[in-house]
Amino acid sequence: MTSDLGVYAIRFAHREASVRGEHFYGHDPCSEAPFPIDYYVWLITSDEHTVLVDAGFTPATARQRGNRYYLQSPMETIAALGSDAGQVSHLVLSHLHYDHVGHLADFPAASVVLQEAELAFWTSRHAGRGEHARLADPEATASLVRENFTGRVRLVNGEYEVVPGVTVHRVGGHTPGLQVTRVESARGTVVLAADATHFFENIEGDRPYGVVNHLPAMYEAFDTVRALAGPEGVVVPGHDPRVRERFPAVAGLEGMAARIV
Ligand SMILES: [Zn+2]
């Protein structure tokens, strides 16, 4: 166990024009009810390491896709938290949807940790089909393929230790190589679930999200996240505005950074 790991949820954008029906698999009796969504990256810091989970999306992407209100870039909030983008030694990518990879180029010093199955899918013959194409970031995917030749990308299979106290675990379900990140700090265990559970309601109500690659894997992912957290640990969902209710805001960064541990 590492004694000095701090974990922050950094909220960089949100979308209010969103309804329940988009976010839950199968029939929902209140499918037209408003259901806002937040967009996050997560920062893990210690004296030795700065690890970032996911790379968000850019203001240009927010404008292009519409309806997304951009607060400030993850790099600005990371600086306000006392780190800087150039110090990020490891960038964990939960999966390759556009809202998790947009600022890849802004963390040039970081080695990128990604499941091999995830990159394999996005370079496969199915990547450009239907919903996958809508959620893809072709530029970021192409740059990962390029960077894999420079040694910057670490493609992993299953469980992998990023730095002491921080491990990734492949779960799939939402995308083929989706991974979650577990942090074991002296103050407790945190599972940064990203899109293994977009909202608390997905995992707490056993209700899969609407974008499904493999439904049994999605249920299995809920079980894996619960097991990784253990009875005392906390699970941080990927897109839930209630993160701001359950975890305290960082002073001066209200609405943009919450301290998890
Ligand atoms: Zn997402």
Side-chain angles (χ1 to χ4, degrees):
M1 183 177 288
T2 306
S3 59
D4 58 350
L5 289 164
V7 182
Y8 301 89
I10 295 175
R11 176 177 177 253
F12 65 90
H14 61 98
R15 176 161 61 100
E16 302 302 314
S18 161
V19 295
R20 281 187 68 84
E22 293 174 56
H23 301 303
F24 295 96
Y25 177 78
H27 174 71
D28 188 282
C30 306
S31 62
E32 294 305 315
F35 206 78
I37 178 168
D38 279 356
Y39 298 93
Y40 295 94
V41 302
W42 301 270
L43 183 69
I44 306 163
T45 59
S46 72
D47 290 342
E48 294 88 35
H49 301 288
T50 306
V51 179
L52 187 68
V53 176
D54 286 342
F57 58 75
T58 63
T61 295
R63 281 192 297 277
Q64 200 177 35
R65 290 187 177 253
N67 288 329
R68 283 146 181 84
Y69 184 77
Y70 206 88
L71 295 163
Q72 69 177 15
S73 78
M75 294 79 75
E76 289 172 88
T77 306
I78 289 168
L81 287 168
S83 302
D84 76 76
Q87 274 175 358
V88 173
S89 55
H90 298 81
L91 175 61
V92 171
L93 296 179
S94 64
H95 64 306
L96 299 187
H97 281 166
Y98 80 92
D99 52 328
H100 299 261
V101 296
H103 281 291
L104 197 56
D106 292 300
F107 302 96
S111 68
V112 178
V113 179
L114 175 68
Q115 293 285 330
E116 189 165 32
E118 185 69 7
L119 188 58
F121 174 77
W122 293 101
T123 54
S124 79
R125 70 189 186 280
H126 300 308
R129 297 173 84 154
E131 195 158 48
H132 299 310
R134 180 176 69 80
L135 293 169
D137 183 332
E139 285 312 312
T141 303
S143 88
L144 286 165
V145 171
R146 260 196 313 275
E147 300 274 9
N148 188 37
F149 290 97
T150 70
R152 186 186 169 208
V153 180
R154 168 136 334 223
L155 295 175
V156 301
N157 285 294
E159 189 176 331
Y160 175 77
E161 184 181 74
V162 180
V163 299
V166 180
T167 49
V168 293
H169 308 258
R170 174 157 52 87
V171 293
H174 177 60
T175 61
L178 176 69
Q179 61 183 354
V180 302
T181 305
R182 177 165 68 175
V183 183
E184 291 181 279
S185 86
R187 290 178 298 277
T189 299
V190 177
V191 179
L192 300 171
D195 292 6
T197 183
H198 285 62
F199 303 98
F200 289 110
E201 191 175 342
N202 296 116
I203 192 164
E204 291 173 2
D206 219 28
R207 298 222 32 209
Y209 189 74
V211 176
V212 178
N213 172 255
H214 191 276
L215 189 60
M218 212 170 222
Y219 283 119
E220 197 68 38
F222 289 160
D223 295 346
T224 302
V225 168
R226 288 185 196 108
L228 288 169
E232 308 292 332
V234 296
V235 173
V236 183
H239 289 278
D240 200 327
R242 292 196 179 103
V243 164
R244 286 176 284 138
E245 294 166 14
R246 295 207 191 180
F247 302 102
V250 174
L253 291 171
E254 290 81 2
M256 287 185 280
R259 176 103 196 206
I260 309 298
V261 292

